[in-house]
Amino acid sequence: DIQMTQSPSSLSASVGDRVTITCRASQAMSNSLAWYQQKPGKVPQVLIYAASTLRSGVPSRFSGSGSGTDFTLTISSLQPEDVATYYCQKYDDDPLTFGGGTKVEIK
Amino acid sequence: QVTLKESGPVLVKPTETLTLTCTVSGFSFSNARVGVSWIRQPPGKALEWLAHIFSSDRKCYSTSLKSRLTISKDTSKSQVVLTMNNMDPVDTATYYCARIQEGYSSNAFDIWGQGTMVTVSS
């Protein structure tokens, strides 16, 4: 099975900072990689799919990149409303594994 | 408007079997290439994918929980059912169902249910 490892597990940054979260697959995979945002007490919502496609309505400060085994979610200018836990997920085929999550807080 | 809604018991006893139902609306399994997964989240912990059923009715399961899970679909009722046997307190979690449109234009799990909290306790 392909395992998905996210890093860091948590981070604290200032408003306006550039934030980068990494998701590493244990073996090469397709670009069927999604990033989800889960705010406290809320249902996860997809931000990015196909590794780099921004879902309609998602602020342009979010971006995704990567291929093969290494994928990245970037928030270009962190905003207070971005406080959340972010998860990557491979969704191409069995197993549809999630990463362990990255909790983002404001410093 | 596409919605998914989970239903099932709030409380189950250890060793019992949990049965959860995901009722979908806004689309039909009979004419949409849509898959549905079950995902859970213990309090304060990460999301864990459990099981998935494709539009073709192919099924796949988390390797670690495979022996305890069964997923099925009732197209006429627009429902996806998950059963998990031999429940344990560590299975206490919010259980979500989520849908994915299959194919090249898939945008991952774009619609989720609100989740249903299940507590395992005697």
Side-chain angles (χ1 to χ4, degrees):
Chain A
D1 288 359
I2 295 180
Q3 308 299 321
M4 307 301 289
T5 303
Q6 275 184 247
S7 61
S9 57
S10 65
L11 67 90
S12 181
S14 300
V15 173
D17 281 355
R18 183 181 184 88
V19 168
T20 299
I21 299 168
T22 297
C23 180
R24 176 162 289 173
S26 59
Q27 61 191 78
M29 55 174 280
S30 70
N31 76 336
S32 295
L33 188 285
W35 290 96
Y36 299 87
Q37 177 191 62
Q38 186 179 31
K39 295 185 177 182
K42 300 296 186 181
V43 177
Q45 294 190 316
V46 61
L47 297 175
I48 287 167
Y49 57 93
S52 60
T53 302
L54 199 65
R55 185 183 186 183
S56 176
V58 174
S60 59
R61 63 180 178 273
F62 291 93
S63 64
S65 64
S67 64
T69 60
D70 295 319
F71 300 88
T72 299
L73 172 70
T74 300
I75 308 173
S76 60
S77 176
L78 186 67
Q79 300 301 304
E81 59 266 33
D82 300 334
V83 168
T85 301
Y86 295 84
Y87 297 92
C88 64
Q89 186 204 19
K90 64 176 290 291
Y91 61 91
D92 50 356
D93 205 344
D94 182 24
L96 307 180
T97 316
F98 286 93
T102 298
K103 186 173 183 179
V104 174
E105 297 176 322
I106 300 290
K107 195 181 293 182
Chain B
Q1 181 189 3
V2 174
T3 63
L4 289 79
K5 186 172 184 179
E6 306 89 349
S7 58
V10 173
L11 180 67
V12 298
K13 291 182 168 53
T15 75
E16 287 186 340
T17 294
L18 171 69
T19 299
L20 295 172
T21 301
C22 176
T23 303
V24 310
S25 62
F27 69 94
S28 170
F29 287 126
S30 60
N31 59 18
R33 284 197 64 207
V34 168
V36 173
S37 268
W38 284 95
I39 297 138
R40 73 178 179 180
Q41 185 171 39
K45 296 191 176 181
L47 300 172
E48 178 183 18
W49 172 75
L50 299 176
H52 186 79
I53 189 162
F54 293 84
S55 62
S56 63
D57 217 39
R58 182 166 72 97
K59 299 151 190 174
C60 55
Y61 299 97
S62 161
T63 301
S64 61
L65 293 167
K66 194 170 195 171
S67 64
R68 299 174 53 207
L69 297 172
T70 303
I71 191 170
S72 62
K73 182 171 56 178
D74 187 329
T75 298
S76 65
K77 293 182 179 179
S78 293
Q79 293 179 336
V80 174
V81 176
L82 179 77
T83 63
M84 178 182 291
N85 61 27
N86 195 24
M87 293 292 285
D88 183 273
V90 300
D91 297 313
T92 294
T94 297
Y95 288 75
Y96 296 99
C97 60
R99 80 118 194 217
I100 181 170
Q101 296 185 82
E102 297 170 351
Y104 188 74
S105 60
S106 174
N107 53 1
F109 287 93
D110 60 344
I111 308 287
W112 293 58
Q114 285 301 303
T116 185
M117 179 66 192
V118 177
T119 299
V120 184
S121 174
S122 54

